[in-house]
Amino acid sequence: EGGEEGEGEGEEKGRKDRSWIKRVRVTDRKNGTYDVEYLPEGSGLLQMVVKVNGESIQGSPFIVHVPGKRLRISSPFDGRGVIAYIGTKGLRQPFVNPHDSGEVTASMSTMAVSHRGFTCGEPRVLVQGNVVDGRGKYNYTDNVRGSWMAVDLKRHRLEVEAYSLRSDACQNQHKLRTWRLEGCDDGASWVTIREHVNDASLSGKPFSTAAWTIEGFQGRPFQHFRIVQTDVNSSGNHFLTCAGLELYGVLHTAKGPEEAMEEGEGVKE
């Protein structure tokens, strides 16, 4: 709008939603041109409408590419991955399990019950972060072929470049050996991201960790990820044991809380 400072409008391509853009400042340069500064509250391909006195300017709407946040791995569960990033609101606050806070949803095919009647599986354990909490020592499914554990990143999408796993407190038994990492965007049409056959990277020690790189999925973000055990574990059965999953790559956030975007910088046109 006209004047020294004004307001702009923004909407994400494919849906009407003016909340993805904030901190808009329009400065009239008094020569027929304007400076527009804005802070996107999302990433990916966004559509921006610019109007002066209620009329769209020439070329509006504009397609704007806002890059995601790249989270690189240095070591397994280094506190710099996607689960850590979401659980600390951008690595700025103490970690809160994002399943507990509702930022993500973890799930598993079944939850094992011990011979004493105790449940030995809890989905939240999959996303407990880089430190094992008091409730996250054991986590395994029933002894069933094709068992899986999954995480729904909800408003986030990830172009995955690496991932890490952590076994549970079991010693020298029930370690993952043959499995797949899968991803999808609708919770149903799963794509194999990486397949492991007789992979002994997870040692027999309690809470052993390992990490793997991913190639070929740049530019293809997923909302859902899961580990599917496709053959027997190190003990020759189908219990899927896992006390942690961490993901790395380029994270896109469709629409986030205000505080999560304070680390961003405005874009000037």
Side-chain angles (χ1 to χ4, degrees):
E1 308 297 337
E4 194 64 26
E5 289 192 358
E7 295 182 353
E9 297 182 6
E11 64 180 36
E12 186 173 351
K13 188 177 181 181
R15 74 175 186 184
K16 292 184 178 180
D17 182 355
R18 294 177 61 177
S19 62
W20 71 264
I21 190 169
K22 67 174 187 175
R23 296 187 189 174
V24 181
R25 183 172 64 187
V26 181
T27 303
D28 188 347
R29 300 177 66 183
K30 308 300 183 182
N31 62 359
T33 64
Y34 298 83
D35 283 334
V36 180
E37 295 179 81
Y38 57 94
L39 178 64
E41 205 173 49
S43 60
L45 287 177
L46 306 177
Q47 180 174 275
M48 183 175 66
V49 177
V50 180
K51 296 181 179 181
V52 177
N53 297 325
E55 298 292 331
S56 293
I57 68 172
Q58 184 175 358
S60 178
F62 301 94
I63 302 301
V64 181
H65 177 257
V66 181
K69 174 73 174 180
R70 174 165 267 114
L71 301 169
R72 302 180 186 275
I73 187 171
S74 59
S75 60
F77 296 93
D78 52 10
R80 309 292 295 183
V82 169
I83 301 304
Y85 187 85
I86 295 173
T88 59
K89 296 188 180 298
L91 306 177
R92 298 183 301 109
Q93 297 183 13
F95 180 82
V96 174
N97 187 309
H99 177 82
D100 295 345
S101 67
E103 282 289 317
V104 308
T105 299
S107 57
M108 49 201 298
S109 53
T110 58
M111 290 181 283
V113 178
S114 73
H115 66 280
R116 295 181 179 179
F118 297 112
T119 300
C120 297
E122 194 174 5
R124 67 177 299 279
V125 174
L126 187 67
V127 292
Q128 64 181 319
N130 60 309
V131 178
V132 177
D133 65 31
R135 295 165 55 190
K137 294 182 178 180
Y138 293 96
N139 194 47
Y140 54 94
T141 67
D142 285 328
N143 185 11
V144 177
R145 292 178 182 271
S147 293
W148 54 263
M149 296 185 186
V151 59
D152 176 358
L153 299 180
K154 291 188 171 180
R155 61 188 178 87
H156 307 279
R157 304 290 187 278
L158 177 69
E159 298 175 46
V160 62
E161 297 177 341
Y163 80 108
S164 56
L165 294 176
R166 179 174 53 230
S167 67
D168 72 0
C170 290
Q171 184 166 346
N172 294 321
Q173 57 182 341
H174 309 310
K175 306 300 181 180
L176 270 167
R177 290 294 178 259
T178 301
W179 75 95
R180 290 193 304 265
L181 173 67
E182 298 180 335
C184 75
D185 207 44
D186 61 4
S189 305
W190 294 95
V191 174
T192 297
I193 297 174
R194 179 159 179 167
E195 190 155 11
H196 303 258
V197 178
N198 296 323
D199 186 336
S201 299
L202 290 168
S203 74
K205 295 180 179 180
F207 307 118
S208 57
T209 63
W212 301 266
T213 57
I214 302 295
E215 295 181 356
F217 287 88
Q218 286 73 27
R220 190 176 183 182
F222 294 117
Q223 175 183 335
H224 303 263
F225 293 88
R226 72 177 180 181
I227 299 297
V228 182
Q229 187 166 250
T230 54
D231 206 342
V232 295
N233 59 32
S234 63
S235 298
N237 57 53
H238 294 277
F239 289 110
L240 168 54
T241 65
C242 185
L245 166 68
E246 185 57 283
L247 300 157
Y248 302 83
V250 180
L251 185 66
H252 302 277
T253 301
K255 179 182 175 182
E258 206 169 289
E259 63 269 21
M261 296 307 300
E262 289 178 357
E263 64 185 33
E265 294 183 357
V267 180
K268 187 174 182 178
E269 296 291 342

